[in-house]
Amino acid sequence: MRHSIILYLFLLFAVQHLSAQQPRQIIDFNSGWRFFLGDDSAAINPGYNDAAWRILNLPHDWSIEGAFSANNPATTQGGALPGGMGWYRKTFILPANPSHKNITVEFDGIYRNSEVWINGHWLGKRPYGYSSFRYDLTQYLKPAPAKNIITVKADNSQQPNSRWYTGAGIYRNTRLVLTNKIAVADWGVFITTLFLSKDKATVAVITAITNSNPSDTGVILFTEIYDATGVSVASSRTRIERTIAKAGSNYTDELNIQSPNIWSIERPYLYKAVTKIIKSGKLVDSYTSSFGIRSIRFDADKGFFLNDKPLKILGVCNHHDLGALGAAVNVRAMERQLQILKAMGCNAIRTAHNPPAPELLDLCDKMGFLVMVEAFDMWRKKKNKFDYYADFDEWHQQDIRDMVLRDRNHPSVFMWSIGNEIREQFDSSGIRLARELVDIVKQADPTRPVTAALSEWDPAKNFLYQSGALDVVGLNYHQEVYKDFHTHYPGKIFIGAENMSAFATRGHYDMPSDSSYFWPAKSPQKIVEHGNADFTVSAYDQVSAYWGSTHETTWKIIKKHDFLSGLFVWSGFDFIGEPIPYPWPARSSYYGIIDLAGFPKDVYYMYQSEWTSKPVLHIFPHWNWTPGKLVDVWAYYNNADEVELFLNGTSLGVKRKENDDLHVMWRVPFQPGALKAVSRQKGKTVLVKEIHTAGIPAGIRLSADRASIKADGKDLCFVTVEVVDNKGNLVPDADNLVSFSIAGTGIIAATDNGYQADTSSFQTKTRKCWKGMALAIVQSTSKQGNITLKASATGLPAARLTLKSGGRE
């Protein structure tokens, strides 16, 4: 026994020493690409002259750089932005390239129909624009100092191919990975919790090892787990005596962690597993995996449980675009969206309707969000003329398997969805396909439940449900049947996969507000017949699509019943495309709780008052109206039993929520001045909020979300622009044209104002305010220093804001 302990300690020391050799190299491959928008098949030739092509860094979305037009074939459903074909080329020299290295290139996503060549050799294609994939470059590469040429074609010319804005090009990150012949397989470590108590956790680490040069000599597999402070908390050692086949082999270790830190939405604690392979005394691979220790389960009667504690899923659906930045992945832009949602009380995200960028899941792991990862919006039956249906038969197995393999270690991922409103739910072909897809998911990850987002609520008519393959019944809309769910689905588990479809334009109000209506009113119309001339929708919670409901209607039902495990609101943010209920010039959606610029609409505060315990008091609308007009004043509040409203010091009465009310309302003849609300709990003041009648525009106020950013050429600062009067009040109808300029070590990446029918390019440096507000997005360069943003408008004094751009992480 003593000899074994000494040997083990020696091995541990040796592995730690060997780790300095870094046998696995991961090289950022985003910089220094050349790009051409158009078709030039000669670009696959290594000797092609691309000197005239544009130089850029990835990730890159060429569509967002284009002009909005009603004539773009993507239609307004695709954002009215151009598609087309793009070519990318990168010249690179390898680092030290010994013959025993394997070299692969990894792409997190290319939209769409991508093909890749290395030094003129075709590597393959990948039609689905949301899949991560890789190619082995080894046999075609030239060692240093010779140059290598990689060429990528992204073909997004066949339009329409989506029901929302997709972006175009190499819009996610890419990297080179160098490994030895024996290595951990791609996405080859799977970590899952087998047992969990407050005193101990047992985790299984399943490692797949590949060998591109099989030999008879064995290897040692060593796994060590570190806590968030870098302290080792568990380790294992496995000697593999037999030959590792070229196809690969799986090895399972069970490790015990004492007094585990459990991952939760309140405390999202992460561990790190480092897997090392040693052959003939040399470290040949080192592979790092982040994971969390937690348990999940559903109960048909009591809903969802995280770590054996009941948790209502308070979720939103989000498409993948980042507003004015388009589809190009940016971690800070994602983080900002999640921060805004977290402050609202949101605890879950549905990746509608496709696999997300891996960085989104990394952020959800760190910030404490649950995630439903969704695979497809269609199977064999199309929803658009050129969508994924044509590629489904050939590619669906690999696409869904890759999705699960890539994302299965994320503690934030708590369930998988095999599709959204799939048309095969209406015929018997859905039975076989649902079973096939669920089986693929379960082979890669047997630990999480699988659902599909069903638009047909009647189980007798829904063949995906009749397949028996779904662990959880995910219903889209049809809130009228939720209270009787167990009558229709005895013993089954419920999740609201997609809900509401309520519309709003930030800052616009139609009165009276105490009635709700559908825009459009009936199927199959998608365009409202008698809407507003300025393409707006009232920001009171009173308008929705005919298939959905107002926000309050469905939430009242979900909150009432434990067996309704939760919901995903459509949608968290407005997104580019699908501008129902309007035609052109509307080009982005009205569904969001938050507008495209990231400014909350009023209903945000309804959710905040319901989904958080922090005190909330929000009154609206603004207080600039014509004298005598009857104005409906709403208040969302919590942690109080009443709200009193005052106009210019005179009480307009006390209001209390009754029954299942989520807001209170006063109908007030407008008088200019000050509108004040006071919330009280048992007679004690909780919060006070005031709104003042604003005067004419007198200045511009700039507010940055952060005072400093990293000098890495990627980091962002989101600057809110407000037109204010001489007392600092926001002027709610101001539409001043603001011109932006920048000095120092930054650039203006994009501008926006949140208005769904603004057809100015997001790239413009001038932006009209919408309801007194606009947004400028400032991006760092690779140089440190100060960045000064200047905002100017005719007749107003210019405003300046200075940021610091500092060290890189």
Side-chain angles (χ1 to χ4, degrees), residues 623-624 672-673 691-701 722-734 736 772 795-797:
W623 205 238
N624 276 51
I691 302 174
H692 296 267
T693 303
I696 64 172
I700 300 171
R701 181 165 59 214
E722 296 173 291
V723 176
V724 297
D725 67 8
N726 58 9
K727 294 181 179 179
N729 299 305
L730 176 71
V731 181
D733 58 354
N736 302 68
L796 300 178

Side-chain angles (χ1 to χ4, degrees), residues 361-380:
L361 299 181
D362 292 339
L363 286 168
C364 290
D365 289 346
K366 296 172 185 176
M367 298 175 69
F369 285 88
L370 297 167
V371 184
M372 177 199 291
V373 174
E374 192 156 71
F376 306 118
D377 189 47
M378 76 294 296
W379 295 347
R380 284 178 169 171

